[in-house]
Amino acid sequence: MPADYVSGLAEETFRQMVTSKAPLLESILTSSLETRPPDAPSLAAALQRRPDIQAQLASITGCTPSLWVLEHELHQVEARRAKVGVAQLPAESTAHPYKRAATLGLMGLCFSGGGIRSATFNLGILQGLAELKLLRCFDYLSTVSGGGYIHQWFAAWSKRQGFEEVEKLLIPLPEEDSPGTHPEALRWLRRYSNYLTPQTGVLSADTWVVIATWLRNALLNQITLISVLFFLVRLPHRLTFP
């Protein structure tokens, strides 16, 4: 499987030169490029500087960037599942990526935003899933805002120590399979959870920046609201008197 999308698109283009799409593909290559590439590597080199031709070939061959990404993701998913011991339905490696994805039954976990409250709540979800041995069953993790904070912490920890070890350490106290103490990564997260105002205290600059930001936003909202109300109050007078 090609390591980059453009190479994959070039190979798919030449692969479909023996199908009914050959005349249309041939027309694009001969009319859009100075010289027709004789093989896939030459076409890939030419396509690097022509995203417009990439789009035309992708629409005809069906080899879109999203399809290429999914194909690579499926290889990673299958390798990860095999490594952590997740049972999976057999899927033909030569089948279309969309069909393989449907056969594999991909699962995703989504964390919403909400600042440190969201991050704390989502940490509890990770710990609960780890305790039930279900965390390994999810193939994707999609997050925003506060959920992204806990996401990147979890991803960095898993990258350094390995998913299997992190899953064991995530089991909360005082459960039987818990590590017996809070792991350092969890203590670090709690120690630096106050990321909006790292330096606490009445006289700290971080505290006064937060206060000033809140006052500014509240004042702007009030100005907007009062302006709309004032307009609505004056509107009948403007319509009544010439």
Side-chain angles (χ1 to χ4, degrees):
M1 186 168 54
D4 64 274
Y5 167 68
V6 175
S7 297
L9 177 60
E11 291 184 6
E12 184 63 25
T13 299
F14 273 88
R15 189 178 299 115
Q16 295 192 19
M17 281 295 187
V18 296
T19 67
S20 59
K21 299 178 181 179
L24 186 56
L25 294 173
E26 192 70 41
S27 174
I28 293 175
L29 295 182
T30 54
S31 63
S32 302
L33 299 173
E34 295 181 359
T35 57
R36 183 192 182 283
D39 50 31
S42 302
L43 177 58
L47 291 177
Q48 294 289 349
R49 301 180 298 274
R50 296 297 302 272
D52 55 328
I53 304 179
Q54 292 182 32
Q56 295 180 51
L57 294 177
S59 64
I60 297 172
T61 62
C63 183
T64 60
S66 59
L67 186 67
W68 181 85
V69 170
L70 176 61
E71 187 176 6
H72 281 69
E73 286 179 348
L74 293 179
H75 284 279
Q76 296 294 327
V77 167
E78 291 174 328
R80 186 199 65 83
R81 286 183 175 185
K83 182 178 180 181
V84 300
V86 175
Q88 54 185 334
L89 297 175
E92 297 181 9
S93 58
T94 57
H96 192 277
Y98 289 145
K99 183 177 180 180
R100 287 178 57 202
T103 303
L104 289 173
L106 302 177
M107 294 178 59
L109 185 62
C110 300
F111 288 161
S112 65
I116 195 61
R117 292 172 297 177
S118 172
T120 303
F121 179 80
N122 293 328
L123 173 60
I125 292 178
L126 289 177
Q127 290 179 309
L129 291 173
E131 179 186 351
L132 297 173
K133 302 295 188 294
L134 294 177
L135 187 57
R136 64 185 64 186
C137 298
F138 291 92
D139 304 301
Y140 294 91
L141 180 58
S142 177
T143 60
V144 295
S145 192
Y149 182 74
I150 203 70
H151 178 184
Q152 294 307 313
W153 166 82
F154 174 67
W157 192 14
S158 300
K159 181 70 173 178
R160 296 187 183 102
Q161 291 192 238
F163 174 82
E164 296 87 346
E165 182 66 19
V166 170
E167 187 181 38
K168 295 177 183 177
L169 295 176
L170 272 175
I171 299 176
L173 299 173
E175 300 301 328
E176 182 178 351
D177 296 333
S178 67
T181 182
H182 295 295
E184 176 57 28
L186 191 56
R187 291 199 297 268
W188 183 94
L189 179 67
R190 290 169 175 166
R191 190 160 55 243
Y192 294 98
S193 62
N194 196 27
Y195 56 88
L196 293 179
T197 57
Q199 296 181 357
T200 58
V202 179
L203 300 179
S204 70
D206 291 335
T207 299
W208 284 102
V209 166
V210 170
I211 293 175
T213 302
W214 184 89
L215 290 175
R216 180 200 63 186
N217 294 340
L219 180 61
L220 291 174
N221 289 331
Q222 293 301 318
I223 290 175
T224 303
L225 180 60
I226 292 173
S227 299
V228 173
L229 292 177
F230 181 77
F231 172 77
L232 293 177
V233 170
R234 292 289 299 171
L235 184 59
H237 295 276
R238 299 292 295 178
L239 296 177
T240 304
F241 301 100

